[in-house]
């Protein structure tokens, strides 16, 4: 391990393979971890935003705090007015105003409405869209997303798997060079690679409609169907291809969707060949979705599940080290 | 003339003292939170919430409360919480860099690691700037381009007419010197007493 690789990591220039190497390296030895921690701390401490950016960050940060304090103070002011009224009515209203005054709310300025991602790695990259949809980008793939009155639009070049958050009021449209794919909440894969003559759409769950560039409808797909489309020849081929394991096969991601904690633990037990025990569980009936890279360690996946569910899970029958 | 401590003034509801605290600490606390979380937008949100709570709970401040330490600890705790929920959503990071952040986060505890307190505490900005400007000239030039302005090793090499390996050597040298210089500060720091809220 050399410092140059570590600095590349800090600069965001590492591939996922290299990040994996670094993760293993810091776990080998406490001294390694402290070394990277120190480099990282120094990195963040010396990097100063440009003068203008620093100023605007300070001003908007301060504006956020200032306005919320003023809001709190104003509400306390009206609280005093109410207290001077008849005691019975005031008692009921005090409760309501106190609650309102302590609700801090989240965020300050609205986030910008359009986003772009690019995955240059040979391994998949997972992203979460602002509407909570999950997308995995294949190698050499770019995706842009924006959300507006007419719906949510994602433009794709390459291959990606979508797990779209349900929103009946806002259609989700994926645009590629040849197709418009419209969905409302569903799981599907889209492949539109410039060097390939055909586009391919595979549906796992839900339903999608495909249209061409001039918005002319081509077909509706049902789960388990895969469409291959060649725009120049207006050629469409639909076949029954079970797509349930596309996430695993093409993206190296294991996906446990909508499972209770017990179901998740059983699946992990089976996959990793280790016995697991739930030592505490917040809610037996709650369902969760867990996605992890197939070469992740069991300990890391368990940690993710514990954080997600507020439970504690033990690995039983550990080998002696 | 103010003979009261900052803590006392804020306790008494002086917005001016609070605002000034905000202005002087905002940047370094946002950097600190960004270090832990790995995301600057979230970091800004965290630091805002910390200051808001400071103001809301100001009646619990004592005249001898160490505000600096309180702020850092608060930012640390909140950032850790934020890190955990970010982790699960895998927002911008890859799975591996999310795990790396998680492993490194324990090293950033301000109460257990005084390098952190020095790098992000009140005196830090000046100390760090001074340490950088005291580096030997060539070393400093390389370091600023590569580390502070985030040029790639190649870009830095091209800009200064050096080889990439020279660039890397100068960066290592700078890091070594900076660690020494900022370590020296340790001897000069007075004992910081830390008071906890009830």
């Amino acid at each position: 391990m050399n410092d140059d690789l570590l600095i590349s990591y800090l600069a965001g220039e590492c591939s996922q393979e290299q990040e994996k190497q670094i993760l293993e390296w810091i776990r080998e030895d406490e001294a390694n971890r402290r070394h990277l921690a120190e480099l990282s701390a120094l990195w963040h401490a010396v990097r100063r935003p440009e003068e203008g950016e620093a100023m605007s960050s300070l001003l908007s940060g301060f504006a956020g705090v200032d306005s919320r304090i003023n809001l709190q103070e104003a509400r306390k002011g009206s609280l005093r007015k109410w207290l001077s009224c008849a005691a019975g009515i005031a008692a009921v209203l005090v409760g309501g105003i106190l609650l309102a005054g302590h609700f801090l709310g989240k965020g300050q300025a609205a986030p910008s409405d359009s986003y772009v991602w690019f995955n240059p790695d040979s391994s998949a990259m997972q992203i979460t869209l602002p509407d909570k949809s999950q997308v995995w980008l294949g190698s050499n793939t770019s995706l842009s997303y924006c959300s507006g009155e007419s719906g949510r639009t994602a433009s794709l070049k390459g291959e990606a798997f979508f797990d779209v958050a349900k929103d009946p009021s806002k259609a989700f449209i994926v645009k590629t060079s040849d197709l418009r794919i419209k969905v409302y909440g569903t799981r599907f894969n889209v492949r539109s690679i410039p060097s390939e003559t055909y586009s391919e759409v595979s549906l796992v769950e839900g339903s999608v409609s495909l249209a061409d560039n001039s918005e002319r409808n081509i077909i509706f797909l049902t789960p388990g169907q895969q469409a291959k489309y060649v725009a120049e020849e207006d050629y469409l081929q639909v076949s029954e291809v079970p797509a349930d394991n596309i996430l695993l096969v093409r993206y190296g991601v294991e996906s446990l969707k909508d499972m209770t904690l017990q179901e998740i633990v059983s699946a992990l037990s089976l996959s990793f060949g280790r016995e697991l025990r739930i030592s505490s569980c917040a809610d037996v009936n709650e369902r969760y979705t867990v996605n992890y890279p197939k070469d992740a360690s069991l300990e890391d996946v368990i940690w993710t599940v514990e954080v997600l569910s507020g439970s504690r899970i033990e690995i039983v029958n550990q080998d002696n080290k | 003339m103010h003979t009261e401590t900052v803590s006392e003034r804020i306790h008494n509801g002086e917005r001016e003292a609070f605002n000034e605290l905000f202005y002087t600490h905002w940047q370094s606390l946002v950097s600190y939170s960004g270090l832990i979380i790995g995301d600057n937008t979230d970091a800004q949100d965290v630091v805002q919430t910390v200051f808001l709570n400071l103001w809301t709970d100001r009646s619990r401040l004592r005249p001898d409360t160490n505000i600096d330490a309180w702020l850092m600890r608060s930012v640390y705790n909140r950032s850790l919480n934020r890190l955990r929920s970010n982790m699960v959503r895998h927002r911008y990071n890859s799975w591996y860099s999310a795990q790396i952040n998680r492993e490194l986060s324990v090293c950033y505890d301000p109460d257990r690691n005084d390098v952190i307190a020095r790098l992000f505490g009140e005196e830090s900005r000046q100390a760090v700037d001074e340490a950088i400007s005291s580096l030997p000239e060539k070393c400093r030039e390389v370091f600023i381009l590569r580390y502070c302005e985030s040029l790639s090793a190649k870009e830095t090499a091209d800009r200064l007419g050096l080889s990439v390996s020279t660039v890397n050597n100068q960066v290592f040298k700078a890091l070594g010197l900076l660690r020494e210089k900022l370590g020296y500060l340790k001897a000069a720091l007075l004992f910081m007493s830390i008071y906890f809220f009830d």
Side-chain angles (χ1 to χ4, degrees):
Chain A
M1 181 57 59
N2 56 63
D3 266 359
D4 192 45
L5 181 60
L6 297 179
I7 293 175
S8 299
Y9 167 73
L10 295 175
E13 294 161 6
C14 270
S15 71
Q16 286 196 30
E17 318 297 328
Q18 290 172 317
E19 287 177 345
K20 189 173 171 203
Q21 275 177 44
I22 293 176
L23 179 63
E24 283 161 7
W25 178 74
I26 63 180
R27 283 174 168 166
E28 264 167 34
D29 191 346
E30 171 73 24
N32 295 347
R33 183 169 69 175
R34 272 190 278 118
H35 182 77
L36 179 56
E38 229 181 73
L39 276 183
S40 182
L42 202 54
W43 173 274
H44 281 83
V46 303
R47 295 178 67 212
R48 298 281 152 69
E50 307 235 338
E51 200 53 51
E53 202 192 310
M55 194 38 87
S56 85
S57 137
L58 173 63
L59 290 176
S60 71
F62 182 73
V65 174
D66 194 43
S67 61
R68 282 190 227 167
I69 290 180
N70 292 340
L71 198 61
Q72 278 181 25
E73 305 289 296
R75 282 184 170 143
K76 284 191 196 150
S78 46
L79 172 59
R80 286 191 205 104
K81 261 193 279 178
W82 281 110
L83 282 177
S84 70
C85 297
I89 304 171
V92 172
L93 287 162
V94 161
I97 291 171
L98 273 177
L99 277 173
H102 280 85
F103 176 71
L104 292 178
K106 265 191 70 70
Q108 342 90 33
S112 81
D113 285 321
S114 76
Y115 303 77
V116 181
W117 294 268
F118 176 64
N119 179 24
D121 282 349
S122 57
S123 43
M125 173 168 135
Q126 179 181 4
I127 58 179
T128 304
L129 303 183
D131 71 340
K132 310 282 195 279
S133 299
Q134 299 279 328
V135 184
W136 284 263
L137 301 183
S139 155
N140 244 323
T141 294
S142 68
L143 182 80
S144 71
Y145 172 85
C146 70
S147 169
E149 301 281 306
S150 50
R152 308 168 272 174
T153 311
S155 296
L156 174 73
K157 187 162 152 198
E159 180 170 19
F161 187 95
F162 294 82
D163 188 342
V164 174
K166 275 199 166 59
D167 186 351
S169 65
K170 267 190 176 168
F172 191 101
I173 301 169
V174 180
K175 291 188 182 173
T176 65
S177 56
D178 297 331
L179 288 173
R180 301 278 174 276
I181 303 151
K182 192 164 168 179
V183 302
Y184 285 90
T186 195
R187 303 180 98 204
F188 59 101
N189 190 67
V190 179
R191 189 179 172 100
S192 168
I193 296 176
S195 57
E196 291 177 354
T197 48
Y198 63 91
S199 308
E200 178 206 87
V201 179
S202 319
L203 181 63
V204 177
E205 192 185 292
S207 69
V208 300
S209 75
L210 305 188
D212 66 10
N213 278 342
S214 45
E215 307 279 333
R216 184 181 56 112
N217 265 340
I218 302 174
I219 193 163
F220 276 92
L221 290 183
T222 55
Q225 288 189 321
Q226 183 181 80
K228 283 198 163 116
Y229 178 66
V230 183
E232 291 78 35
E233 293 154 31
D234 199 19
Y235 168 76
L236 175 72
Q237 177 198 356
V238 179
S239 35
E240 303 290 323
V241 174
D244 304 354
N245 64 351
I246 270 195
L247 208 49
L248 178 59
V249 171
R250 296 195 189 178
Y251 301 84
V253 174
E254 288 274 8
S255 181
L256 304 174
K257 190 154 169 81
D258 269 344
M259 294 190 182
T260 62
L261 189 62
Q262 185 55 62
E263 289 168 346
I264 290 175
V265 167
S266 303
L268 291 179
S269 232
L270 201 62
S271 291
F272 286 90
R274 302 290 291 277
E275 196 185 326
L276 301 174
R277 181 172 56 224
I278 302 174
S279 46
S280 84
C281 173
D283 187 334
V284 285
N285 297 318
E286 182 75 39
R287 289 177 173 275
Y288 309 95
T289 294
V290 180
N291 300 303
Y292 59 93
K294 66 174 192 245
D295 54 4
S297 73
L298 177 58
E299 284 77 10
D300 285 342
V301 181
I302 286 184
W303 184 83
T304 305
V305 175
E306 284 178 335
V307 173
L308 191 57
S309 62
S311 65
R312 299 309 310 257
I313 300 168
E314 277 168 41
I315 307 177
V316 183
N317 295 335
Q318 290 243 15
D319 295 339
N320 287 336
K321 292 208 172 158
Chain B
M1 177 147 62
H2 290 289
T3 48
E4 299 158 315
T5 61
V6 172
S7 186
E8 237 179 300
R9 290 166 66 191
I10 296 180
H11 171 97
N12 295 337
E14 232 190 85
R15 278 299 293 279
E16 231 178 71
F18 174 81
N19 293 353
E20 203 182 307
L21 189 74
F22 189 96
Y23 297 142
T24 52
H25 286 70
W26 169 256
Q27 189 49 58
S28 49
L29 288 176
V30 168
S31 294
Y32 179 43
S33 183
L35 164 68
I36 300 168
I37 299 177
D39 179 66
N40 247 40
T41 315
D42 270 349
Q44 293 189 21
D45 203 31
V46 164
V47 177
Q48 280 195 24
T49 309
V50 164
F51 271 97
L52 207 42
N53 289 344
L54 173 63
W55 180 256
T56 311
D57 289 338
R58 66 187 180 279
S59 56
R60 298 162 91 194
L61 289 174
R62 299 206 283 261
D64 49 10
T65 303
N66 185 327
I67 295 249
D68 234 21
W70 184 87
L71 283 173
M72 285 202 71
R73 203 165 39 251
S74 212
V75 168
Y76 179 64
N77 289 333
R78 234 167 237 288
S79 302
L80 276 193
N81 285 344
R82 188 68 67 107
L83 180 63
R84 289 163 76 94
S85 55
N86 257 3
M87 197 75 71
V88 176
R89 288 202 305 268
H90 296 295
R91 198 143 45 118
Y92 301 97
N93 297 338
S94 73
W95 170 277
Y96 298 109
S97 76
Q99 298 297 335
I100 292 173
N101 277 355
R102 172 194 149 208
E103 294 280 345
L104 296 183
S105 63
V106 300
C107 301
Y108 301 138
D109 187 337
D111 293 340
R112 302 235 204 104
N113 183 343
D114 45 14
V115 176
I116 290 296
R118 264 177 272 130
L119 287 177
F120 298 100
E122 188 177 6
E123 307 293 319
S124 65
R125 179 160 189 170
Q126 208 183 347
V128 170
D129 283 344
E130 272 173 26
I132 294 180
S133 51
S134 72
L135 290 172
E137 187 179 334
K138 183 162 149 198
C139 190
R140 182 180 71 240
E141 273 179 6
V142 171
F143 182 77
I144 288 180
L145 286 180
R146 177 66 172 130
Y147 229 66
C148 306
E149 294 183 20
S150 301
L151 264 51
S152 72
K154 177 110 194 357
E155 286 166 343
T156 308
D158 289 344
R159 183 86 75 92
L160 297 174
L162 302 168
S163 69
V164 170
S165 64
T166 305
V167 165
N168 293 333
N169 289 337
Q170 290 298 326
V171 173
F172 307 156
K173 183 173 165 190
L175 289 172
L177 289 171
L178 284 175
R179 274 195 221 111
E180 261 177 53
K181 288 173 200 295
L182 294 170
Y184 175 70
L185 199 59
K186 179 178 179 178
L189 259 181
L190 298 171
F191 174 73
M192 273 169 40
S193 43
I194 297 170
Y195 291 85
F196 290 83
F197 280 160
D198 302 331

